[in-house]
């Protein structure tokens, strides 16, 4: 049984055929439609589709003009590229530990991470559960910092009833195949700020800044864009957008199904002392279970791996939750982190298991996972 699977049907095929028949395949009208769908769903004024969430995070750092000498605060338990984005612009990622029950940044530790060099906090809505945005925004405002939401896992996620992605200055979404909406690869940056929107638009498109003034030369077929800043080609394609539009059309159904599966896992696994189940409510109130991640309580990495092996032997695919980024070679060597730093992130990397959850999963599939997991825990 696969860990996850995309929900493709005739709607993706039809839109892809239309896109190819139109002859327009790079970023164009379909990308704009896809951007509007995500923007409307997440209450954003502006949305910019890009090649990945990693690219969106990189664009966010550049749009916020973060650079060498600056520090960017982020959770230690996240996908590695949340930190890479700060490195791309020459800033230093400053890790903060997470709480074991939410897997999200621990708001009680945020203040300790602030220095005169702090420029931004990146809050990660990990696995589809919103980060503690009230505390993140309070801290950011008190210290004059930007707030970025890494919403890679968080299409459809709400925080206190409001969709994530515009609580901070910029939100960054992913459409990788492990996400609820996928375009193969892909991402999106959302914002409500016009100045940031202008920069995101330009940085994604080679640094193009507009058209030259007509006073210099009248506009015509010879007119090319002006380039007042260094930018990148991080544009989307209408082929991807065709898939994205079809996916957005079934988002509510996909979310409903995920939540039902997540809640059913929690009901079936409730009361097992060795397991900590994902926090389905908390302040977040909108866990989407993009990933359903359990933690082995009072177990170590070896024990967790034995359980994963037991499941793999029964044809059930699982993955660890995500990285304790400070332990990865690049960060450990560059900043001299040791094993005792950010203990919750380390523990979560070592003792979490992501269980299969995918569109079309049946009760029988889920019962098989639960039976194999409980048998492994008894061994
Ligand atoms: C929290 C988090 N941030 C960033 C990313 C990167 O997303 P992408 O693969 O679209 O670059 C991921 C991907 O899994 C993620 O989980």
């Amino acid at each position: 049984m696969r860990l996850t699977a995309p929900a493709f049907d005739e709607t993706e095929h039809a839109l892809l055929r239309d896109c190819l028949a139109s002859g327009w395949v790079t970023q164009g009208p379909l990308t704009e439609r896809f951007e509007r769908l995500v923007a409307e769903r997440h209450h954003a004024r502006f949305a910019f589709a890009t090649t990945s969430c990693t690219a969106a995070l990189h664009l966010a750092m550049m749009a916020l003009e973060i650079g060498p000498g600056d520090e960017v605060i982020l959770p230690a338990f996240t996908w590695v590229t949340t930190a890479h984005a700060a490195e791309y612009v020459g800033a230093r990622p400053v890790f903060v530990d997470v709480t074991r029950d939410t897997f999200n940044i621990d708001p009680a530790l945020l203040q300790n991470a602030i220095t005169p060099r702090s420029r931004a906090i990146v809050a990660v809505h990990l696995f589809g559960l919103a980060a503690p945005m009230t505390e993140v925004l309070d801290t950011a405002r008190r210290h004059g910092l930007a707030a970025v939401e890494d919403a890679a896992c968080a299409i459809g996620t709400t925080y206190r009833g409001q969709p994530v992605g515009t609580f901070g200055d910029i939100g960054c979404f992913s459409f990788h195949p492990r996400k609820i909406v996928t375009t193969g690869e892909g991402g999106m940056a959302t914002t409500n700020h016009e100045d940031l929107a202008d920069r995101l638009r330009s940085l994604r498109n080679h640094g193009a800044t507009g058209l030259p003034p007509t006073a210099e030369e009248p506009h015509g077929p010879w007119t090319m864009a002006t380039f007042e800043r260094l930018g990148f080609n991080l544009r989307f394609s209408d082929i991807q957008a065709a898939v994205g539009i079809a996916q957005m059309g079934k988002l509510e159904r996909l979310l409903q199904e995920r939540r039902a599966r997540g809640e059913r896992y929690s009901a079936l696994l409730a009361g097992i002392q060795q397991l900590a189940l994902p926090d389905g409510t908390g302040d977040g109130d909108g866990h989407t279970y993009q990933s359903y991640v359990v933690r082995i309580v009072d177990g170590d990495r070896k024990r967790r791996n034995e359980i994963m092996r037991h499941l793999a032997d029964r044809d059930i695919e699982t993955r660890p939750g995500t990285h304790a980024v400070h332990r990865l070679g690049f960060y450990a060597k560059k900043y001299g982190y040791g094993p005792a730093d950010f203990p919750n992130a380390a523990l979560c990397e070592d003792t979490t298991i992501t269980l299969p959850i995918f569109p079309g999963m049946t009760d029988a599939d889920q019962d098989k996972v639960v039976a194999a997991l409980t048998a492994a825990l008894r061994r």
Side-chain angles (χ1 to χ4, degrees):
M1 188 187 317
R2 297 280 307 275
L3 184 63
T4 190
F8 296 147
D9 57 32
E10 185 48 34
T11 52
E12 280 81 8
H13 291 235
L15 275 156
L16 274 170
R17 275 196 301 272
D18 291 350
C19 171
L20 297 176
S22 79
W24 189 281
V25 288
T26 185
Q27 184 176 295
L30 292 181
T31 300
E32 265 181 47
R33 240 172 93 189
F34 180 47
E35 288 172 339
R36 272 201 309 279
L37 288 171
V38 176
E40 278 163 22
R41 182 62 178 75
H42 279 267
H43 301 183
R45 275 181 73 200
F46 306 99
F48 300 98
T50 183
T51 51
S52 65
C53 180
T54 302
L57 289 162
H58 185 189
L59 285 169
M61 294 293 123
M62 291 191 290
L64 292 165
E65 297 178 328
I66 293 170
D70 293 337
E71 293 181 351
V72 176
I73 296 164
L74 63 138
F77 188 55
T78 182
W79 182 246
V80 63
T81 57
T82 316
H84 280 6
E87 292 283 340
Y88 294 155
V89 294
R92 176 183 178 140
V94 172
F95 298 109
V96 171
D97 212 352
V98 296
T99 71
R100 296 177 189 191
D101 49 346
T102 64
F103 302 129
N104 281 327
I105 202 160
D106 185 343
L109 302 176
L110 263 179
Q111 185 63 37
N112 298 347
I114 306 280
T115 78
R117 291 169 178 268
S118 306
R119 282 290 319 281
I121 304 175
V122 183
V124 181
H125 308 304
L126 202 63
F127 308 141
L129 180 69
M133 290 313 297
T134 304
E135 292 88 341
V136 167
L137 294 176
D138 279 354
T139 311
R141 279 196 199 107
R142 254 185 294 117
H143 296 276
L145 312 181
V148 174
E149 291 172 73
D150 179 339
C153 312
I155 194 105
T157 294
T158 54
Y159 178 72
R160 300 193 174 165
Q162 191 184 319
V164 299
T166 55
F167 283 96
D169 298 290
I170 300 177
C172 302
F173 292 83
S174 173
F175 306 114
H176 176 273
R178 276 197 56 190
K179 307 306 187 286
I180 295 173
V181 161
T182 185
T183 57
E185 296 284 351
M188 191 142 344
T190 51
T191 186
N192 280 340
H193 304 283
E194 204 153 346
D195 54 336
L196 292 175
D198 286 344
R199 279 185 233 151
L200 290 165
R201 187 184 297 109
S202 163
L203 287 161
R204 171 183 66 166
N205 186 27
H206 304 284
T209 36
L211 295 176
T214 45
E216 273 173 26
E217 186 182 52
H219 286 176
W222 52 84
T223 307
M224 303 243 274
T226 55
F227 291 83
E228 304 295 340
R229 61 164 67 85
L230 182 67
F232 296 81
N233 180 356
L234 295 173
R235 289 188 307 241
F236 209 53
S237 88
D238 269 20
I239 300 176
Q240 291 168 291
V243 177
I245 292 165
Q247 291 270 285
M248 286 301 289
K250 49 190 140 180
L251 176 62
E252 304 316 318
R253 175 170 65 73
L254 294 175
L255 286 169
Q256 211 173 25
E257 195 184 341
R258 278 257 165 180
R259 285 208 188 97
R261 282 288 152 219
E263 283 161 17
R264 187 165 186 271
Y265 262 138
S266 293
L268 293 171
L269 297 169
I272 301 178
Q273 298 299 315
Q274 297 124 292
L275 277 187
L277 303 179
D279 178 348
T281 53
D283 268 349
D285 75 31
H287 205 318
T288 60
Y289 302 106
Q290 174 268 330
S291 289
Y292 190 92
V293 179
V294 296
R295 191 166 56 76
I296 309 301
V297 180
D298 296 331
D300 56 8
R301 191 176 178 104
K302 182 165 169 287
R303 170 84 177 125
R304 189 276 311 269
N305 293 356
E306 283 164 7
I307 294 166
M308 290 177 83
R309 166 60 56 207
H310 181 93
L311 292 166
D313 289 345
R314 281 145 193 83
D315 194 29
I316 297 169
E317 194 176 60
T318 60
R319 299 284 293 154
T322 190
H323 305 288
V325 181
H326 66 289
R327 298 199 305 192
L328 297 172
F330 178 82
Y331 293 97
K333 281 189 207 121
K334 183 163 182 180
Y335 298 109
Y337 290 119
D341 295 315
F342 315 109
N344 282 343
L347 182 93
C348 289
E349 182 190 281
D350 287 344
T351 60
T352 49
I353 306 178
T354 309
L355 301 180
I357 190 162
F358 50 87
M361 186 179 207
T362 62
D363 284 358
D365 293 330
Q366 217 174 4
D367 292 343
K368 180 178 167 179
V369 177
V370 169
L373 180 60
T374 45
L377 288 166
R378 274 198 301 271
R379 278 151 70 105

